[in-house]
Amino acid sequence: MTIENDTKSLLISALKKCGAVKFGDFTLASGKKSKYYVDIKKASTDPVTLTVIAEQAASLVLNEKVDIVGGVALGGVPLATAVSLKSGLPLLIVRKEEKGYGTGGRFIGDLKAGSRVVLIEDVTTSGGSVKDAIAAIRGAGGFVDAVITVVDREEGAKQSLSAIGVKLIPLVGASDLIQ
């Protein structure tokens, strides 16, 4: 499943209008250098852009036959929350590491053995950070077959996730954004 061109144009416009697409010299989380940066946290805090993302992602989520919408802390949480509200599916927050106090655990939400989870990501580059969350969910008995990302930087995430049996569904690709 892919996003239609007019829908994609709406998202691209919203991302640019809220200032989420920046050009210059940037260092990515991976340490890699880039001439552009996509600040989805800027988009997540803009209600208009967040609504566009949530509507587009929720329409895809409902086609995936899943039980839970998941987001990896921190960037994926507001996105997954918005998609949960639009889709009516419960929310799962995946912490980067297990919490050693309070109720502990790696998950916030009701992940049961056999639960089918779709993860919502802000930006994917190589897919490394989301693969860790997928492994944690699978280790707890859940299933992840798809990741929906707002922006795929088109630098290997699709292939990396495919190698572990997960399809990457981008709302937009970097090539669409930086034209």
Side-chain angles (χ1 to χ4, degrees):
M1 169 133 298
T2 58
I3 295 290
E4 300 296 322
N5 281 340
D6 55 339
T7 306
K8 195 182 283 192
S9 295
L10 178 65
L11 178 56
I12 291 167
S13 175
L15 289 169
K16 289 181 176 179
K17 189 172 180 182
C18 79
V21 182
K22 302 174 187 313
F23 295 93
D25 292 314
F26 301 97
T27 302
L28 305 177
S30 64
K32 190 174 178 182
K33 302 292 184 191
S34 178
K35 292 292 182 191
Y36 70 95
Y37 183 73
V38 183
D39 185 359
I40 295 295
K41 283 140 190 92
K42 188 112 171 122
S44 297
T45 59
D46 176 63
V48 171
T49 307
L50 183 58
T51 298
V52 171
I53 292 168
E55 288 172 349
Q56 290 185 15
S59 71
L60 295 173
V61 163
L62 294 172
N63 290 323
E64 288 302 313
K65 297 178 181 75
V66 296
D67 307 308
I68 301 172
V69 175
V72 181
L74 178 70
V77 173
L79 301 170
T81 302
V83 173
S84 171
L85 288 168
K86 283 284 181 191
S87 67
L89 292 168
L91 174 67
L92 178 72
I93 298 171
V94 183
R95 293 184 175 116
K96 295 213 186 258
E97 55 192 43
E98 200 152 324
K99 188 172 87 167
Y101 55 91
T103 58
R106 179 96 191 254
F107 307 108
I108 301 168
D110 196 14
L111 178 65
K112 297 179 181 132
S115 292
R116 302 191 72 75
V117 181
V118 63
L119 287 171
I120 310 297
E121 268 283 272
D122 51 2
V123 178
T124 51
T125 302
S126 66
S129 60
V130 77
K131 282 172 76 173
D132 182 53
I134 293 166
I137 292 166
R138 288 176 170 174
F143 296 96
V144 180
D145 297 324
V147 172
I148 296 173
T149 186
V150 178
V151 178
D152 179 20
R153 288 183 60 94
E154 301 166 335
E155 295 180 24
K158 185 170 262 189
Q159 298 81 355
S160 177
L161 291 173
S162 178
I164 61 167
V166 177
K167 68 180 166 183
L168 180 66
I169 306 169
L171 298 183
V172 296
S175 58
D176 299 316
L177 270 183
I178 59 177
Q179 289 183 28

